Amino acid sequence: MPEEITAAQATRILGSAEPYGAAGQARLDLAAEILADMRRLNQQMLESKKKLASAVRASGTSLTEVFGVGPVVAATVIGDVADVSRFASRDHFAAYNGTAPIEVSSGNRKIYRLSRRGNRRINHAIHMAAITQIRHAHSDGRAYYEKKVAEGKTHKEALRSLKRRISDAIYARLRADARQAASSTNKGPGGQQGNDTKSSAAGSHPKHRLFGQATPEPDPRLRPATPASPIMPPEPASKKLRRSP
């Protein structure tokens, strides 16, 4: 059996298995229970991916326009980056996600290697996007990778160069999304200029819009409601009798 197996493959294998004796039957029963768990987890993963894809679409991000960047990669980047304005340039962003090469030169020979620092989740997401591009012969990433290999670079060196290129593309998309979000917020009804305060611009960032608009807190400038008049206690029965005609 392969190291990675799907529920369909496991079903076919169990269907052809002929247990021998009580121990064999016990192993088959345990395998059937594992298969049931696989199906349940596959269904949960499918539902989670659907919710994640819906949330990414609702955010209005353009990250998924980068080849190899799907909902999972886009959500990972958006969640960890939060506010792209904290990165002054694409070089700062590359240093943050670990795609900026580190020089380990020796003597007159300059050598660079992949950085083991930085945000490993974003680095892994960029790595998956790079592998996806390399696997598709028609992608620009595959052409770029083959060009680097033709220049004499090793597989790791060419992959490192491609990851840095994808990092720059992601950074450009994040900056464009932030500008678009700020522009949309600064325009009021009918295209008129709206609130352009810092708090308004921050509220329009994709990290706030990823799962919908947050419930606003009460405005402290509103006057508190006038307290209701106290309820008077009921009159004694003796008073009621004296007042009756």
Side-chain angles (χ1 to χ4, degrees):
M1 292 184 297
E3 292 183 1
E4 294 185 4
I5 188 172
T6 64
Q9 291 172 332
T11 301
R12 289 194 297 268
I13 293 173
L14 288 181
S16 61
E18 296 181 0
Y20 177 76
Q25 184 61 46
R27 286 194 292 267
L28 185 63
D29 294 340
L30 289 175
E33 293 178 4
I34 295 176
L35 177 57
D37 291 338
M38 289 176 62
R39 290 186 178 129
R40 176 178 54 82
L41 292 174
N42 285 343
Q43 184 61 31
Q44 290 180 353
M45 290 174 62
L46 181 61
E47 293 175 359
S48 296
K49 287 182 178 180
K50 288 181 179 179
K51 293 178 181 179
L52 189 60
S54 177
V56 170
R57 285 194 301 269
S59 73
T61 181
S62 63
L63 282 179
T64 52
E65 296 178 11
V66 178
F67 193 95
V69 176
V72 175
V73 173
T76 301
V77 172
I78 292 174
D80 277 10
V81 169
D83 186 3
V84 70
S85 64
R86 62 195 180 105
F87 304 107
S89 67
R90 62 183 184 179
D91 296 334
H92 287 82
F93 180 65
Y96 170 75
N97 60 46
T99 57
I102 297 177
E103 183 177 352
V104 287
S105 301
S106 176
N108 296 329
R109 185 183 177 187
K110 288 188 176 181
I111 303 175
Y112 296 89
R113 67 169 177 81
L114 287 173
S115 172
R116 300 301 178 187
R117 300 178 180 179
N119 188 302
R120 304 315 300 170
R121 282 189 299 270
I122 297 183
N123 188 281
H124 178 71
I126 295 175
H127 178 83
M128 296 307 298
I131 295 300
T132 301
Q133 291 190 10
I134 293 175
R135 287 177 178 175
H136 289 77
H138 66 280
S139 68
D140 293 338
R142 172 66 176 269
Y144 181 83
Y145 169 82
E146 291 178 345
K147 176 185 176 183
K148 293 297 180 181
V149 173
E151 292 175 355
K153 293 185 179 296
T154 64
H155 163 72
K156 290 185 177 180
E157 291 172 341
L159 179 60
R160 180 180 65 234
S161 299
L162 179 58
K163 289 177 65 174
R164 174 56 193 270
R165 193 185 190 203
I166 294 174
S167 173
D168 293 345
I170 288 176
Y171 177 77
R173 293 288 181 177
L174 290 172
R175 296 282 295 185
D177 291 344
R179 288 193 297 267
Q180 179 65 28
S183 175
S184 300
T185 303
N186 291 338
K187 289 183 179 180
Q192 299 298 323
Q193 194 73 11
N195 185 1
D196 59 353
T197 59
K198 290 183 179 179
S199 60
S200 176
S204 66
H205 193 273
K207 72 171 182 177
H208 297 283
R209 297 188 290 113
L210 186 56
F211 298 104
Q213 184 179 0
T215 304
E217 297 182 357
D219 192 337
R221 294 172 298 178
L222 297 178
R223 292 189 301 174
T226 305
S229 56
I231 301 176
M232 299 299 294
E235 293 182 339
S238 56
K239 271 191 177 182
K240 291 183 180 179
L241 292 175
R242 286 198 300 269
R243 290 182 181 179
S244 42

